[in-house]
Amino acid sequence: MKRRTYLRAAGAGAALGLAGCLGGGDANPNVSLSKPDRENDVSSEDLPYPAWGQQVPDVTLADPIAGGEVSVRDIDVPHFHTYFFTNCMTVCPVLISALREVQIHSVSEGYADEVSFYPITFDPARDDADAFRAEADQMNVDMDAGNWHFLRPADEAEAKSVVEDQFGVFFQKNEPNDEGNYMFTHLGLVSLVNDDGYVERTYRGNQPDEQTLIDDLTALREA
C-alpha cells in the first residue's frame, strides 16, 4: 500500500503519530529515509532542485522508445531520475553507468519490477528514440527488463522549463564548433524518488557511488 493511502486511511491524528517511524525520526510523513546529513545545516528549501521530503514537479514527458507519455508524479514504484544528453562525453556516461549498475542489481536480485529508471534529456533536438536506443546499447542498459525509460521534452523551450526551471538542474548550451556540434555545461545530479513522488535522496556530483544508490534503494524498499 502506498504511504499516502495508508495515512489517509489511518486519519490525520494517526498520521502524525506515525511520522517518526516513517521519516526515520524526522517529522516528515512523506518520506521513509531519515533526513540526510548536510554541511552547514543546509535544508531542502535552500537547494535549487527538489530534495529530501519535497515532491517532484507535476510534469509529463514523452517516452519515445515505449511510446506514450509518463507523468513523473504518478510513477508507482521507487525510481531514479538523472538529467543528461546522449552526446555527452564527460559526466553523463558516469551518471547513466551508475544507474545501470543499480538496474543490473535489480535484475540479478529479482526485484526489477520494484524499481524504475527515468533519465531525462535536456537535448531534445538530437535525443530521439534512435539516439536513446544507441545510448542503451553503448551503456549496456537492459531495455528488455522493462524498468528503464528515457524521457524527452518536446523541444528546447520545454527542456528549459522542465529540467532547469522545475527540476532545478542547471544546464547551458555551449557554442557549436566548426562542424556544428555542441555540448552542454550542466549539474550532475541523481534523484531517488519514492512511489508517492517525494524525493528520498539526491546525489550531487559527477561520480555517484552505485553501492550507495543500491543501499538507499534497499532501505526504501524495506521501509
Side-chain angles (χ1 to χ4, degrees):
M1 179 184 292
K2 297 182 77 172
R3 183 175 305 105
R4 60 168 171 250
T5 305
Y6 181 86
L7 292 180
R8 187 164 55 242
L16 291 173
L18 288 169
C21 297
L22 293 172
D26 295 294
N28 191 327
N30 297 314
V31 291
S32 295
L33 302 186
S34 61
K35 186 177 180 179
D37 293 329
R38 300 191 183 115
E39 295 181 0
N40 303 319
D41 294 325
V42 173
S43 69
S44 295
E45 289 73 18
D46 296 325
L47 299 171
Y49 44 81
W52 179 82
Q54 296 180 322
Q55 199 168 27
V56 294
D58 186 11
V59 298
T60 299
L61 295 169
D63 180 349
I65 293 181
E69 297 181 323
V70 173
S71 174
V72 299
R73 279 193 182 175
D74 292 338
I75 300 169
D76 60 0
V77 294
H79 54 281
F80 290 92
H81 291 296
T82 195
Y83 315 86
F84 82 114
F85 66 110
T86 63
N87 283 272
C88 181
M89 294 179 288
T90 54
V91 178
C92 303
V94 180
L95 301 175
I96 297 296
S97 177
L99 293 188
R100 179 205 62 207
E101 292 302 309
V102 183
Q103 187 198 38
I104 290 172
H105 188 268
S106 76
V107 173
S108 64
E109 297 299 317
Y111 65 93
D113 60 344
E114 299 176 28
V115 62
S116 52
F117 306 85
Y118 293 86
I120 302 172
T121 182
F122 42 80
D123 187 17
R126 297 181 293 185
D127 287 348
D128 55 14
D130 289 340
F132 288 148
R133 290 189 187 98
E135 177 81 357
D137 289 343
Q138 181 176 350
M139 299 301 298
N140 296 315
V141 171
D142 185 357
M143 297 303 294
D144 292 333
N147 62 359
W148 190 288
H149 304 268
F150 291 104
L151 301 184
R152 177 183 180 271
D155 51 33
E156 185 174 329
E158 187 178 36
K160 201 73 172 177
S161 171
V162 169
V163 176
E164 185 163 273
D165 296 343
Q166 298 190 65
F167 276 100
V169 176
F170 165 81
F171 69 93
Q172 181 174 329
K173 184 177 178 180
N174 299 333
E175 289 295 323
N177 61 21
D178 293 340
E179 289 75 37
N181 296 320
Y182 57 88
M183 305 295 281
F184 289 87
T185 301
H186 66 95
L187 174 68
L189 191 76
V190 171
S191 307
L192 171 58
V193 184
N194 65 30
D195 58 358
D196 287 321
Y198 287 88
V199 176
E200 297 275 357
R201 285 289 183 268
T202 49
Y203 313 89
R204 181 171 177 170
N206 297 343
Q207 293 184 312
D209 178 64
E210 53 260 28
Q211 190 58 54
T212 299
L213 303 183
I214 291 170
D215 290 345
D216 288 344
L217 173 61
T218 299
L220 175 57
R221 290 176 51 239
E222 295 177 350

